[in-house]
Amino acid sequence: MKKVSRRRFINNLIGGTIGVGTFPLLSFSSKDNKYAKKKNIPVIGEFDICVLGGSCTGVFAAVRAARLGASVVIVEKQNAFGGVATNGLVNIWHSLYNTEKNKQIIAGLTYEIIERLAHREAVTYDREDKKSHFTLNTQELKIDLDELIIESGITPYLHTLFSEPFNDSKGQLEGVIIDNKSGRGVIKAKYFIDATGDGDLCERMGMVTYIHDHIQPPSTAAYFEGWNSGQFNSLLKEHGKEFNIPEGFVWGAQLPGTNSYMLSGTRVYNVNCAFADDLTKAEIEGRRQIRAFLDMIRKYGQNFKVGLSGLPSYIGIRETRHIKCLYQVNDKDTMFGERFKDAIANGSYVLDLHHQDKPGITFRYLDGTESYSRPGYPAVVGRWREATEINPTFYQVPLRSLIPEKSNNVIIAGRMLDASPVSFSGIRVMVNMNQLGEAAGVTAYLALNQNKKIKDVDYNDVRKELEKGGSIII
């Protein structure tokens, strides 16, 4: 497909020649799309596949499609790729093994990135056998993702905001309107991957969406120097209310190769970060809580000298809206380890319910046990089902849960997948989302190569191609 260089686009914009020669002007009116007034918009470039959202999920989707031969563009609103892992500072990737640690169930680009970081001593392992979780230097991860994109021949756009879909005369999605420092333009493509996290493309196309009654609340992470977790938890239990710190859950990890400690201990209740007002409120409240932590430590912490060394460029969002797809992964599917013929991802992370209606979280395990935890209090242990002789050791995600009901050339990748509340609580973590991205990239490529609608691509072809590319398919 023909591409237009960014430099040439800028030069033509400055010279006033947009719309001449290789840069057609598109007449765009409110009749074509409800989000825009009549205006002429330049076409920035044309590609096989356009990925909206540059988290690891989006990057992995783009890389898998590009490695198969598609021309790919990726659009990210932040200044770096990696999403919550990099811009949100959350530096834990969970186990690539099943719950019994006797079978690897995740590989692909997740494993490839871990190996790249390990080469630079930018990853540490919870256990020497490398079968538990990984702690990443996610600032180094930013650079690795840059390199991965360039190596794959992908056209990247950072600091670029997706605004609205652009449809052809028949109402079919033909492009996306973006805004960045060069102005407003259209990126045209044959297929699109919505990796925005909130399903922005699908929602603005008018697809069916839904929001769970109690969505998992977001948290603002931060980097600290001189952190003391034990003393902090005691202070939080005794003095948290004085500083208006809501009860939630506290965890953290050292940033490999540094003296910085990543803490995720804030909790913003009653917001849905898919909406501008709530997102703004959440960002400000999350930073207020970080300041409250520091003020509490300064007042009551004995020999606890801590310094704030980094704040994220955006809050860690666990959940917003979901897109109605061909299949919803239900709670039973995940809790009982249901197997799917069209499975494209495997996960073993505990079902991790962050509550809206009470402090703390509930960990629900595949062996039927559960634990309710809150900072400064002993865990309350019980069972969510009776004990059985054999327990599932991992769960799966089917391809159908990524394919919107009413779309020919769009597939989703990320936390807006079609999933019920309990199942989502486990599926949502990054090592699982990474796999969804790879599956979306492969599916979009196959649809392109076979000239098919997304929903008509044979899942067997997707699974075979994923396995060829290094994914573990079960």
Side-chain angles (χ1 to χ4, degrees):
M1 300 297 291
K2 186 175 182 180
K3 300 181 185 179
V4 176
S5 74
R6 183 179 179 87
R7 181 179 297 278
R8 190 176 177 191
F9 171 69
I10 295 171
N11 288 342
N12 283 351
L13 181 63
I14 294 172
T17 59
I18 288 293
V20 179
T22 59
F23 295 90
L25 283 172
L26 299 180
S27 179
F28 190 61
S29 70
S30 57
K31 183 178 180 180
D32 301 316
N33 189 294
K34 66 181 180 179
Y35 291 97
K37 296 180 180 179
K38 186 175 182 180
K39 59 182 68 178
N40 292 323
I41 304 177
V43 176
I44 296 173
E46 298 184 26
F47 302 85
D48 292 330
I49 296 170
C50 174
V51 180
L52 294 179
S55 65
C56 290
T57 304
V59 170
F60 289 1
V63 169
R64 288 303 289 259
R67 285 181 175 179
L68 289 169
S71 64
V72 182
V73 60
I74 186 168
V75 175
E76 167 55 36
K77 63 186 177 182
Q78 296 283 333
N79 75 332
F81 298 105
V84 170
T86 57
N87 296 311
L89 308 185
V90 179
N91 66 336
I92 293 289
W93 278 5
H94 295 287
S95 176
L96 308 186
Y97 281 74
N98 65 2
T99 58
E100 294 180 350
K101 303 295 187 289
N102 59 10
K103 181 177 183 179
Q104 187 173 349
I105 60 173
I106 301 172
L109 287 169
T110 298
Y111 184 77
E112 183 177 324
I113 282 290
I114 290 170
E115 290 290 289
R116 291 170 76 125
L117 289 170
H119 180 69
R120 290 181 167 83
E121 298 182 346
V123 59
T124 56
Y125 308 96
D126 186 56
R127 291 183 1 187
E128 290 184 5
D129 60 12
K130 302 180 182 179
K131 293 183 178 181
S132 190
H133 69 260
F134 302 85
T135 303
L136 314 177
N137 185 320
T138 52
Q139 302 311 294
E140 294 237 28
L141 175 61
K142 290 180 182 179
I143 305 170
D144 269 305
L145 295 176
D146 288 343
E147 292 178 349
L148 192 60
I149 285 171
I150 299 305
E151 291 167 8
S152 302
I154 297 164
T155 300
Y157 281 93
L158 294 171
H159 292 294
T160 299
L161 183 68
F162 160 66
S163 296
E164 50 204 282
F166 183 88
N167 297 334
D168 63 19
S169 59
K170 297 180 181 180
Q172 176 73 14
L173 181 65
E174 183 181 16
V176 291
I177 297 176
I178 58 91
D179 291 276
N180 60 21
K181 296 293 286 186
S182 297
R184 171 164 280 206
V186 173
I187 293 174
K188 299 179 76 173
K190 292 183 177 179
Y191 294 88
F192 299 83
I193 298 174
D194 186 342
T196 60
D198 303 314
D200 290 334
L201 174 60
C202 292
E203 193 274 337
R204 292 174 194 184
M205 288 179 66
M207 294 185 186
V208 178
T209 67
Y210 63 92
I211 297 170
H212 291 146
D213 291 337
H214 297 283
I215 63 175
Q216 299 216 25
S219 295
T220 299
Y223 289 154
F224 294 92
E225 302 290 329
W227 192 257
N228 183 320
S229 294
Q231 190 173 161
F232 176 75
N233 287 337
S234 298
L235 292 175
L236 189 62
K237 179 180 178 182
E238 188 173 354
H239 303 290
K241 289 183 179 180
E242 178 184 342
F243 294 87
N244 193 25
I245 300 172
E247 284 193 78
F249 186 76
V250 178
W251 67 277
Q254 200 76 22
L255 190 68
T258 76
N259 293 320
S260 292
Y261 184 85
M262 187 285 297
L263 178 79
S264 179
T266 65
R267 181 66 59 90
V268 183
Y269 290 110
N270 302 313
V271 292
N272 184 336
C273 292
F275 302 107
D277 291 351
D278 278 5
L279 179 57
T280 301
K281 173 185 174 182
E283 293 281 16
I284 293 172
E285 171 60 16
R287 287 191 289 269
R288 184 203 68 79
Q289 290 181 29
I290 295 294
R291 170 60 62 80
F293 290 167
L294 292 166
D295 288 344
M296 179 181 68
I297 293 169
R298 292 181 184 116
K299 184 174 180 179
Y300 294 109
Q302 296 180 359
N303 300 317
F304 189 177
K305 302 297 182 182
V306 63
L308 178 64
S309 57
L311 286 170
S313 60
Y314 73 90
I315 193 169
I317 302 171
R318 292 185 176 90
E319 182 180 14
T320 56
R321 67 169 67 93
H322 296 267
I323 310 301
K324 182 63 177 173
C325 293
L326 299 179
Y327 181 81
Q328 182 184 74
V329 187
N330 62 59
D331 294 345
K332 185 178 178 181
D333 289 337
T334 305
M335 292 192 295
F336 290 91
E338 182 70 24
R339 297 289 174 263
F340 296 100
K341 292 181 179 179
D342 61 336
I344 44 77
N346 311 302
S348 62
Y349 179 66
V350 61
L351 306 176
D352 174 357
L353 298 162
H354 291 252
H355 302 292
Q356 284 276 7
D357 54 349
K358 61 181 179 180
I361 63 176
T362 296
F363 295 109
R364 188 170 289 180
Y365 300 90
L366 297 184
D367 65 0
T369 62
E370 69 177 16
S371 174
Y372 172 64
S373 299
R374 55 191 289 206
Y377 295 86
V380 179
V381 178
R383 300 196 65 89
W384 61 267
R385 68 163 170 81
E386 295 298 321
T388 54
E389 186 175 344
I390 299 176
N391 298 303
T393 61
F394 65 96
Y395 45 81
Q396 295 188 310
V397 181
L399 180 63
R400 288 166 291 163
S401 64
L402 308 183
I403 301 175
E405 285 184 325
K406 298 181 180 180
S407 174
N408 296 325
N409 62 343
V410 177
I411 186 169
I412 65 173
R415 55 182 165 78
M416 64 284 205
L417 85 158
D418 199 350
S420 58
V422 176
S423 66
F424 176 77
S425 70
I427 294 171
R428 67 177 176 80
V429 297
M430 287 185 274
V431 291
N432 295 336
M433 295 295 101
N434 293 349
Q435 296 173 84
L436 304 194
E438 294 184 70
V442 167
T443 304
Y445 167 78
L446 289 172
L448 171 76
N449 190 50
Q450 299 171 4
N451 193 27
K452 289 182 177 180
K453 298 176 181 179
I454 291 285
K455 63 183 178 182
D456 292 334
V457 174
D458 189 331
Y459 65 80
N460 289 303
D461 292 342
V462 177
R463 284 165 55 88
K464 289 176 184 176
E465 204 63 61
L466 282 169
E467 193 166 28
K468 286 181 187 177
S471 298
I472 293 177
I473 298 299
I474 301 172

